[in-house]
Amino acid sequence: MWEHSPLELKWLKREEFLGNLHTPAMGKSKKKEEAVFLRKKITLVRAFSLLIGSMVGSGIFISPKGVLKNSGNVGLSLVVWFACGILSMFGAWPANSAVVALAFGRYILEPFFAPCAAPLLAVKLVALLGYYIVLILNSWSVSWSARLQTILSIIKLAALTLIIVPGIMLLAKGHTENFQDAFNSQSMVLDKLPLAFYAGMFAYSGWFQTSFVREELVKPERNIPLAVIVSVITVIVGYMLTNVSYYTVLTATDVLASQAVAVSFAHRACRSLISMVPVLVSLSCFGTMNGGIFTFSRSVACRLRWTG
């Protein structure tokens, strides 16, 4: 058997030691450099805010007209709103970011051009500006974009409350005349009912956003279903009460003639809200854009991780 000299043995032990010292460490370092992951910064409250902020956008302030027009009467339109909320727990259609961005631009400029409509070019430029502000914010800090979403979600719920409270107060005083013959079969248009559902589902779109941020979500197996169920039920209750409030103050004819139901409601129910409604709606749209970009960027990152 080959025997090594003491000097050779010393040299071999040195090489073995250096090999053990460097090779695994380099491997671990390399693996750390190659591993790309997102830290778990999204709590249940932030997940809830993300969903509320994504769902409550321009839809509830605009869609009531489309739902009523294609359902035919007040009673069936309320059924459609409730059914859309239930369907959203099983599957919904994502909102078009361009539509939400344009709604943001139109509403934020409305106070400056009222009673005239804002120029289309100005609306597009402001919509683009808002979209890029959200984009930069999400690129800069996950924590700050998540905090902003929480704040905007609170503002959205406050906006719904400002519509719900005056209407429910009038309803409690006995103003139920607009609900007389709510299920009038003569005005029912069943052939257009799918369009009513389309308008309603647009207002609910966004419930699925937590699935895109699963990697960053704390306890995803518990918080994803919990956030979806709680947020969708909250939005269903909010939307139903908001529509009841609309119909307490406005007749079906008023809703169909309105370009923005929330603004028409403010004119009738509480004139002090007229200047606030466009601002609240634009902030709602801003929150929807923020939620959309926050989650869509994760799907792109996941795609790049698998392909690159």
Side-chain angles (χ1 to χ4, degrees), residues 53 56-59 61-62 97 99-105 107 134 152 156 278-291:
V56 183
S58 61
F61 306 105
I62 300 173
S97 296
V99 173
V100 178
L102 288 171
F104 164 77
Y107 273 98
V134 173
L152 291 174
K156 288 166 186 270
V279 177
L280 292 172
V281 175
S282 62
L283 288 174
S284 293
C285 296
F286 192 81
T288 301
M289 286 192 295
N290 184 56

Short mmCIF file of all heavy atoms in Angstrom, two decimals, residues 53 56-59 61-62 97 99-105 107 134 152 156 278-291:
data_model
loop_
_atom_site.label_atom_id
_atom_site.label_comp_id
_atom_site.label_asym_id
_atom_site.label_seq_id
_atom_site.Cartn_x
_atom_site.Cartn_y
_atom_site.Cartn_z
N GLY A 53 -59.90 46.77 -1.40
CA GLY A 53 -59.41 47.84 -2.25
C GLY A 53 -59.47 47.51 -3.73
O GLY A 53 -59.59 48.40 -4.57
N VAL A 56 -63.85 47.23 -4.53
CA VAL A 56 -64.61 48.48 -4.49
C VAL A 56 -63.87 49.53 -5.30
O VAL A 56 -62.95 50.19 -4.81
CB VAL A 56 -64.81 48.96 -3.03
CG1 VAL A 56 -65.67 50.23 -3.01
CG2 VAL A 56 -65.45 47.87 -2.20
N GLY A 57 -64.24 49.66 -6.55
CA GLY A 57 -63.62 50.64 -7.44
C GLY A 57 -64.68 51.56 -8.00
O GLY A 57 -65.52 52.09 -7.26
N SER A 58 -64.69 51.73 -9.30
CA SER A 58 -65.69 52.60 -9.92
C SER A 58 -67.02 51.90 -10.13
O SER A 58 -68.04 52.55 -10.36
CB SER A 58 -65.15 53.10 -11.27
OG SER A 58 -64.91 51.99 -12.14
N GLY A 59 -67.03 50.56 -10.04
CA GLY A 59 -68.22 49.79 -10.40
C GLY A 59 -69.47 50.14 -9.62
O GLY A 59 -70.53 50.38 -10.22
N PHE A 61 -70.29 52.78 -8.19
CA PHE A 61 -70.73 54.14 -8.45
C PHE A 61 -71.25 54.33 -9.88
O PHE A 61 -71.88 55.34 -10.17
CB PHE A 61 -69.58 55.11 -8.19
CG PHE A 61 -68.96 54.97 -6.83
CD1 PHE A 61 -67.73 54.36 -6.67
CD2 PHE A 61 -69.62 55.42 -5.70
CE1 PHE A 61 -67.16 54.21 -5.41
CE2 PHE A 61 -69.06 55.28 -4.43
CZ PHE A 61 -67.83 54.67 -4.29
N ILE A 62 -70.99 53.36 -10.76
CA ILE A 62 -71.39 53.48 -12.16
C ILE A 62 -72.30 52.32 -12.59
O ILE A 62 -73.31 52.52 -13.26
CB ILE A 62 -70.14 53.53 -13.07
CG1 ILE A 62 -69.28 54.74 -12.71
CG2 ILE A 62 -70.54 53.58 -14.54
CD1 ILE A 62 -67.95 54.78 -13.44
N SER A 97 -57.86 47.27 -16.38
CA SER A 97 -57.11 48.36 -15.74
C SER A 97 -57.30 49.68 -16.46
O SER A 97 -57.34 50.75 -15.84
CB SER A 97 -55.62 48.00 -15.69
OG SER A 97 -55.41 46.87 -14.90
N VAL A 99 -59.98 50.75 -18.04
CA VAL A 99 -61.29 51.31 -17.69
C VAL A 99 -61.23 51.99 -16.33
O VAL A 99 -61.73 53.11 -16.15
CB VAL A 99 -62.37 50.19 -17.69
CG1 VAL A 99 -63.70 50.73 -17.16
CG2 VAL A 99 -62.54 49.61 -19.07
N VAL A 100 -60.60 51.33 -15.37
CA VAL A 100 -60.48 51.89 -14.02
C VAL A 100 -59.62 53.16 -14.03
O VAL A 100 -59.95 54.15 -13.37
CB VAL A 100 -59.89 50.85 -13.05
CG1 VAL A 100 -59.72 51.45 -11.66
CG2 VAL A 100 -60.79 49.62 -12.98
N ALA A 101 -58.53 53.13 -14.79
CA ALA A 101 -57.65 54.30 -14.87
C ALA A 101 -58.37 55.50 -15.48
O ALA A 101 -58.23 56.64 -15.02
CB ALA A 101 -56.40 53.97 -15.69
N LEU A 102 -59.17 55.25 -16.53
CA LEU A 102 -59.93 56.34 -17.17
C LEU A 102 -61.00 56.89 -16.23
O LEU A 102 -61.26 58.09 -16.21
CB LEU A 102 -60.56 55.84 -18.47
CG LEU A 102 -59.58 55.61 -19.63
CD1 LEU A 102 -60.28 54.92 -20.79
CD2 LEU A 102 -58.97 56.94 -20.10
N ALA A 103 -61.62 56.00 -15.46
CA ALA A 103 -62.61 56.45 -14.48
C ALA A 103 -61.94 57.33 -13.42
O ALA A 103 -62.49 58.35 -13.00
CB ALA A 103 -63.28 55.25 -13.82
N PHE A 104 -60.72 56.95 -13.02
CA PHE A 104 -59.95 57.75 -12.07
C PHE A 104 -59.70 59.15 -12.65
O PHE A 104 -59.91 60.16 -11.97
CB PHE A 104 -58.62 57.06 -11.77
CG PHE A 104 -57.58 57.94 -11.13
CD1 PHE A 104 -57.66 58.25 -9.78
CD2 PHE A 104 -56.53 58.46 -11.88
CE1 PHE A 104 -56.71 59.07 -9.18
CE2 PHE A 104 -55.58 59.27 -11.28
CZ PHE A 104 -55.67 59.58 -9.93
N GLY A 105 -59.25 59.21 -13.89
CA GLY A 105 -58.97 60.49 -14.53
C GLY A 105 -60.20 61.37 -14.67
O GLY A 105 -60.16 62.58 -14.42
N TYR A 107 -63.09 61.28 -12.91
CA TYR A 107 -63.67 61.74 -11.64
C TYR A 107 -62.78 62.75 -10.92
O TYR A 107 -63.28 63.66 -10.27
CB TYR A 107 -63.96 60.55 -10.73
CG TYR A 107 -65.32 59.94 -10.98
CD1 TYR A 107 -65.46 58.81 -11.78
CD2 TYR A 107 -66.48 60.50 -10.43
CE1 TYR A 107 -66.70 58.26 -12.03
CE2 TYR A 107 -67.72 59.96 -10.67
CZ TYR A 107 -67.83 58.83 -11.46
OH TYR A 107 -69.06 58.29 -11.71
N VAL A 134 -48.78 54.78 -9.33
CA VAL A 134 -48.98 53.49 -8.67
C VAL A 134 -47.85 52.53 -9.02
O VAL A 134 -47.34 51.80 -8.17
CB VAL A 134 -50.35 52.89 -9.06
CG1 VAL A 134 -50.49 51.47 -8.51
CG2 VAL A 134 -51.48 53.75 -8.54
N LEU A 152 -56.61 53.31 1.61
CA LEU A 152 -57.61 53.49 0.56
C LEU A 152 -58.82 52.60 0.77
O LEU A 152 -59.95 52.98 0.44
CB LEU A 152 -56.98 53.23 -0.81
CG LEU A 152 -55.95 54.25 -1.27
CD1 LEU A 152 -55.29 53.80 -2.57
CD2 LEU A 152 -56.59 55.63 -1.46
N LYS A 156 -62.64 53.78 0.96
CA LYS A 156 -63.70 53.19 0.14
C LYS A 156 -64.91 52.82 0.99
O LYS A 156 -66.05 53.10 0.62
CB LYS A 156 -63.17 51.93 -0.57
CG LYS A 156 -62.20 52.19 -1.70
CD LYS A 156 -61.50 50.89 -2.09
CE LYS A 156 -60.41 51.11 -3.11
NZ LYS A 156 -60.88 51.01 -4.48
N PRO A 278 -66.86 62.93 -6.33
CA PRO A 278 -65.84 62.68 -7.35
C PRO A 278 -64.47 62.33 -6.77
O PRO A 278 -63.77 61.47 -7.31
CB PRO A 278 -65.79 64.00 -8.14
CG PRO A 278 -67.10 64.64 -7.89
CD PRO A 278 -67.47 64.26 -6.49
N VAL A 279 -64.11 62.99 -5.67
CA VAL A 279 -62.81 62.73 -5.04
C VAL A 279 -62.78 61.31 -4.47
O VAL A 279 -61.80 60.57 -4.65
CB VAL A 279 -62.53 63.75 -3.92
CG1 VAL A 279 -61.22 63.42 -3.22
CG2 VAL A 279 -62.48 65.16 -4.49
N LEU A 280 -63.87 60.90 -3.81
CA LEU A 280 -63.94 59.57 -3.22
C LEU A 280 -63.92 58.48 -4.28
O LEU A 280 -63.28 57.44 -4.12
CB LEU A 280 -65.20 59.44 -2.35
CG LEU A 280 -65.21 60.29 -1.06
CD1 LEU A 280 -66.57 60.22 -0.40
CD2 LEU A 280 -64.12 59.83 -0.10
N VAL A 281 -64.63 58.74 -5.39
CA VAL A 281 -64.66 57.76 -6.48
C VAL A 281 -63.27 57.64 -7.11
O VAL A 281 -62.81 56.54 -7.42
CB VAL A 281 -65.71 58.12 -7.54
CG1 VAL A 281 -65.64 57.16 -8.73
CG2 VAL A 281 -67.11 58.08 -6.94
N SER A 282 -62.60 58.77 -7.32
CA SER A 282 -61.26 58.73 -7.91
C SER A 282 -60.27 58.00 -7.00
O SER A 282 -59.41 57.25 -7.47
CB SER A 282 -60.75 60.14 -8.22
OG SER A 282 -60.64 60.90 -7.03
N LEU A 283 -60.40 58.18 -5.68
CA LEU A 283 -59.54 57.45 -4.73
C LEU A 283 -59.86 55.96 -4.76
O LEU A 283 -58.95 55.12 -4.62
CB LEU A 283 -59.73 58.01 -3.32
CG LEU A 283 -59.12 59.39 -3.05
CD1 LEU A 283 -59.50 59.88 -1.66
CD2 LEU A 283 -57.61 59.35 -3.21
N SER A 284 -61.13 55.62 -4.95
CA SER A 284 -61.51 54.21 -5.08
C SER A 284 -60.85 53.59 -6.30
O SER A 284 -60.33 52.47 -6.24
CB SER A 284 -63.03 54.07 -5.16
OG SER A 284 -63.64 54.43 -3.95
N CYS A 285 -60.88 54.31 -7.40
CA CYS A 285 -60.24 53.83 -8.63
C CYS A 285 -58.73 53.71 -8.45
O CYS A 285 -58.10 52.75 -8.94
CB CYS A 285 -60.54 54.77 -9.79
SG CYS A 285 -62.29 54.86 -10.23
N PHE A 286 -58.14 54.67 -7.74
CA PHE A 286 -56.70 54.64 -7.48
C PHE A 286 -56.33 53.39 -6.68
O PHE A 286 -55.33 52.73 -6.95
CB PHE A 286 -56.28 55.90 -6.72
CG PHE A 286 -54.80 56.10 -6.65
CD1 PHE A 286 -54.11 56.67 -7.71
CD2 PHE A 286 -54.08 55.73 -5.52
CE1 PHE A 286 -52.73 56.87 -7.65
CE2 PHE A 286 -52.70 55.92 -5.45
CZ PHE A 286 -52.03 56.49 -6.51
N GLY A 287 -57.17 53.05 -5.70
CA GLY A 287 -56.93 51.85 -4.91
C GLY A 287 -57.05 50.58 -5.72
O GLY A 287 -56.29 49.62 -5.52
N THR A 288 -58.01 50.57 -6.65
CA THR A 288 -58.16 49.40 -7.52
C THR A 288 -56.95 49.23 -8.43
O THR A 288 -56.46 48.12 -8.64
CB THR A 288 -59.44 49.54 -8.38
OG1 THR A 288 -60.57 49.67 -7.50
CG2 THR A 288 -59.64 48.32 -9.27
N MET A 289 -56.43 50.35 -8.95
CA MET A 289 -55.22 50.28 -9.77
C MET A 289 -54.03 49.79 -8.95
O MET A 289 -53.24 48.96 -9.42
CB MET A 289 -54.90 51.66 -10.36
CG MET A 289 -55.80 52.09 -11.48
SD MET A 289 -55.17 53.56 -12.34
CE MET A 289 -55.26 54.81 -11.07
N ASN A 290 -53.92 50.28 -7.72
CA ASN A 290 -52.82 49.87 -6.85
C ASN A 290 -52.89 48.37 -6.56
O ASN A 290 -51.87 47.67 -6.62
CB ASN A 290 -52.86 50.66 -5.54
CG ASN A 290 -51.68 50.35 -4.64
OD1 ASN A 290 -50.53 50.49 -5.03
ND2 ASN A 290 -51.96 49.90 -3.43
N GLY A 291 -54.07 47.88 -6.26
CA GLY A 291 -54.23 46.45 -6.00
C GLY A 291 -53.93 45.61 -7.22
O GLY A 291 -53.30 44.55 -7.13
#
